[in-house]
Amino acid sequence: MKMQNAQAVVIGQVVSTVLYNRGRGVVFAIHGKQKPASVGSLSGVVSYGGNATFDIAFESGKISRGLPESILHGRQWSIFPEIKTAEEVIRIVEHAQAEEIREADEREAEEREYRAECERLKTAPEYSDLSQDKKGAVQVTGNIRKELKAKFPGVKFSVRKRSYDSVSVNWTDGPTEEQVKEITKKYRDSYFDGMQDMSVSCSSPFNEIYGGVGYVFVDRGYSDAMKQQAIGILKIKYDHLLDGEEVSVARYNSGELYRIRPDYFGHGHGIQGEINKILAVTTA
């Protein structure tokens, strides 16, 4: 049962919020004189009024300090008539404070490890040819180009900056897309979170030293010779399904093979889709 918003809150009052998965908590300090009667909202969304602020310890181990009175009486919070004893309040607060210290220690340790890895990478012999200049996508483009040339000699890659935050990599035959991504994935420092409708950082020590962008697009093309090789593999494996059907590079290039045996290889895929699968895992 919720307490009426017009009532003042006391030390030990049980509250809860839907924000940040914090759940139930207890008020353990009140700063200033409360004026709950002055609290209101505009269109049921924006809260105003009040005078006091509240410190709240949560059973989950979190602490909110200086929460405005208008927010506490708002729609995202619930105030209950239950009052915890002084001993219970102390227990909940001490638990939350201990969690704060533990999390702070973990953050400090992670930061030390992060900085140490940055220092190690600056002189890592495997990356000695890469640029450490802070030039965004330009730096990433140059470094990816150098890594690919060293890893796959003889393969011609086109590595280009598409925008300030994206790079594209194109090549024909050679290594698979997955093999190339083993190199390029290190340069990704953010991704788009559709649930939050925002870009989220996933930056690493490698990005700190050798650059990062939000998007690295890889696109592998295939020569007719490679397509013919894949068709040969297909014929050996599925000759019994072809019923004399002509399977050629010309028909593959025209897209006709999508219509052949969709009953077996899946609607919209046909033999063409199976050839694509073979190509994807075949190196030249």
Side-chain angles (χ1 to χ4, degrees), residues 31 75 77 90 96 102 156 248:
H31 310 283
R75 295 179 56 133
W77 288 77
I90 290 172
R102 182 188 62 79
K156 185 177 180 180
S248 64

Side-chain angles (χ1 to χ4, degrees), residues 1-280:
M1 174 175 137
K2 289 186 181 181
M3 182 179 178
Q4 292 299 319
N5 282 351
Q7 297 179 355
V9 173
V10 299
I11 300 295
Q13 193 95 48
V14 174
V15 299
S16 71
T17 179
V18 298
L19 298 175
Y20 316 117
N21 296 318
R22 295 200 169 183
R24 284 168 56 91
V26 60
V27 175
F28 68 91
I30 301 172
H31 310 283
K33 184 178 180 179
Q34 297 182 61
K35 295 182 179 179
S38 69
V39 174
S41 64
L42 299 175
S43 302
V45 179
V46 180
S47 299
Y48 62 86
N51 178 67
T53 60
F54 304 86
D55 296 342
I56 301 167
F58 294 88
E59 294 172 355
S60 61
K62 303 293 184 180
I63 294 180
S64 289
R65 292 183 173 85
L67 184 74
E69 187 173 3
S70 59
I71 300 299
L72 181 59
H73 289 285
R75 295 179 56 133
Q76 294 173 312
W77 288 77
S78 296
I79 303 172
F80 299 93
E82 181 183 356
I83 309 296
K84 296 289 187 182
T85 65
E87 291 76 13
E88 289 175 314
V89 172
I90 290 172
R91 178 185 59 79
I92 294 171
V93 171
E94 287 181 344
H95 168 66
Q97 289 174 335
E99 283 296 295
E100 275 194 327
I101 293 172
R102 182 188 62 79
E103 291 178 1
D105 289 343
E106 286 184 355
R107 288 192 297 270
E108 289 179 8
E110 289 172 359
E111 179 63 20
R112 286 195 300 271
E113 290 176 5
Y114 186 96
R115 301 320 310 176
E117 180 63 5
C118 286
E119 291 304 311
R120 185 195 71 81
L121 285 169
K122 287 179 181 179
T123 57
E126 65 269 33
Y127 301 128
S128 59
D129 292 334
L130 302 187
S131 166
Q132 297 184 21
D133 296 334
K134 304 296 183 181
K135 294 183 178 179
V138 173
Q139 177 190 10
V140 170
T141 298
N143 283 344
I144 288 178
R145 188 179 291 121
K146 289 176 182 177
E147 283 209 73
L148 291 175
K149 183 177 180 180
K151 180 70 174 179
F152 307 108
V155 179
K156 185 177 180 180
F157 290 93
S158 172
V159 186
R160 299 188 178 188
K161 170 187 172 184
R162 291 178 57 166
S163 73
Y164 78 95
D165 198 36
S166 66
V167 170
S168 64
V169 182
N170 302 86
W171 72 103
T172 300
D173 297 344
T176 67
E177 288 192 359
E178 289 305 311
Q179 289 174 319
V180 170
K181 285 179 180 178
E182 283 300 309
I183 289 175
T184 63
K185 68 183 181 182
K186 302 191 303 293
Y187 292 90
R188 191 176 182 190
D189 65 2
S190 63
Y191 64 94
F192 184 78
D193 187 331
M195 294 293 291
Q196 300 184 66
D197 193 29
M198 62 182 292
S199 180
V200 179
S201 173
C202 58
S203 184
S204 68
F206 183 88
N207 302 138
E208 186 88 10
I209 307 303
Y210 297 109
V213 291
Y215 304 92
V216 180
F217 301 98
V218 300
D219 185 22
R220 182 192 189 200
Y222 304 102
S223 66
D224 284 351
M226 187 121 182
K227 294 170 189 174
Q228 187 61 59
Q229 179 183 345
I231 288 172
I233 295 172
L234 175 92
K235 287 181 177 179
I236 292 173
K237 190 174 182 180
Y238 296 111
D239 183 65
H240 62 290
L241 298 175
L242 300 180
D243 297 327
E245 188 75 49
E246 179 190 2
V247 182
S248 64
V249 172
R251 296 192 75 190
Y252 174 90
N253 289 340
S254 69
E256 292 179 41
L257 299 181
Y258 281 115
R259 302 196 302 268
I260 309 303
R261 293 309 305 262
D263 58 317
Y264 187 86
F265 294 106
H267 179 69
H269 298 284
I271 289 176
Q272 186 111 0
E274 189 61 27
I275 294 173
N276 287 339
K277 290 180 182 179
I278 295 170
L279 286 168

